[in-house]
Amino acid sequence: MPIAFKEWAVTVRALAEGEQLLTLRKGGIREPDKHFKLEYDRFFLYPTFDHQRPDLVRQSHRPELLRALEEGVWTDDEPAPDALYRGADIAQPDRVRIRAWAEVAAHYTWTTDYAEKRLAWKRRHPLHVILLRTYRIPRPVTVKVRDEYGGCRSWLELTRELPFEGTPVLSDEEFDRAAEEIAAIASDRQPVMV
């Protein structure tokens, strides 16, 4: 069965459009041992609406919150088009659209406050900063949202077969240039355990 990485719907859209190359992860309360482990080097991007708040998305990307609801398919009680933008709690959809997959490999949508909150949570655990090379799937695939997909976890085993095919969202040159910029920023930094 294919593996999917659970991420905010607005972030999945940014990754699929080449506007973001990094993601942050520490581990959720439903992770094994409550720690994140980078177990896969290739996975589908699964959009979720859990804990997605407009105040943790940069002002420049808040209009994308209006479009993020397009990643879900509701049969009843579809949320208002601006529900995420207003910070409303919304029910999980019946299905989500898988639009992209990524390989582990400036380019982010979060506010500085969000990054600081991720660092502050579980201070003794490392914050994983993951560079992703993202590929757009030729046609989005709709998958059923299952109860076992809920909660704070990073990895999901999807029950529908999906092919790893698609087009890189950035050309090789664009990706290499962005990755070099990120590497240059990170190269003089030392990991710190607080």
Side-chain angles (χ1 to χ4, degrees):
M1 290 295 164
I3 297 298
F5 185 76
K6 197 171 166 184
E7 183 59 89
W8 284 358
V10 69
T11 303
V12 167
R13 289 189 76 93
L15 288 163
E17 296 299 321
E19 297 172 5
Q20 179 164 322
L21 301 178
L22 299 174
T23 192
L24 305 175
R25 197 56 104 243
K26 270 201 172 183
I29 59 174
R30 293 202 178 165
E31 304 277 8
D33 300 323
K34 298 185 177 157
H35 298 291
F36 173 76
K37 291 182 183 139
L38 188 58
E39 299 178 41
Y40 307 93
D41 59 0
R42 187 168 78 159
F43 41 83
F44 291 92
L45 298 172
Y46 181 96
T48 184
F49 302 92
D50 292 335
H51 311 300
Q52 189 166 264
R53 293 183 9 214
D55 62 315
L56 298 179
V57 175
R58 287 181 16 209
Q59 190 68 37
S60 61
H61 283 78
R62 286 190 186 161
E64 287 300 309
L65 288 168
L66 298 173
R67 293 181 55 215
L69 287 175
E70 295 171 13
E71 306 306 322
V73 179
W74 286 264
T75 53
D76 300 319
D77 301 323
E78 184 167 319
D82 64 345
L84 286 175
Y85 192 77
R86 290 183 289 112
D89 286 332
I90 62 169
Q92 289 299 310
D94 298 311
R95 301 182 184 284
V96 295
R97 291 185 179 89
I98 306 288
R99 297 181 185 271
W101 60 275
E103 294 178 317
V104 176
H107 308 280
Y108 55 91
T109 59
W110 313 292
T111 62
T112 305
D113 185 51
Y114 175 72
E116 289 171 358
K117 284 179 191 294
R118 299 308 306 155
L119 277 170
W121 187 69
K122 291 183 164 181
R123 287 193 165 287
R124 297 196 172 277
H125 299 210
L127 176 66
H128 298 265
V129 179
I130 307 164
L131 177 63
L132 299 177
R133 179 81 194 258
T134 305
Y135 298 78
R136 199 172 294 116
I137 295 174
R139 286 187 353 203
V141 178
T142 303
V143 297
K144 183 165 179 40
V145 174
R146 300 185 175 279
D147 291 341
E148 61 265 25
Y149 295 172
C152 296
R153 69 181 80 233
S154 297
W155 301 111
L156 304 173
E157 188 173 311
L158 300 177
T159 57
R160 179 176 179 175
E161 288 298 327
L162 300 173
F164 281 106
E165 53 186 41
T167 308
V169 298
L170 295 178
S171 70
D172 291 343
E173 296 79 24
E174 291 171 313
F175 181 79
D176 290 344
R177 184 174 39 252
E180 286 173 13
E181 289 175 21
I182 292 165
I185 292 167
S187 66
D188 64 344
R189 304 296 193 266
Q190 295 298 317
V192 177
M193 294 296 283
V194 180

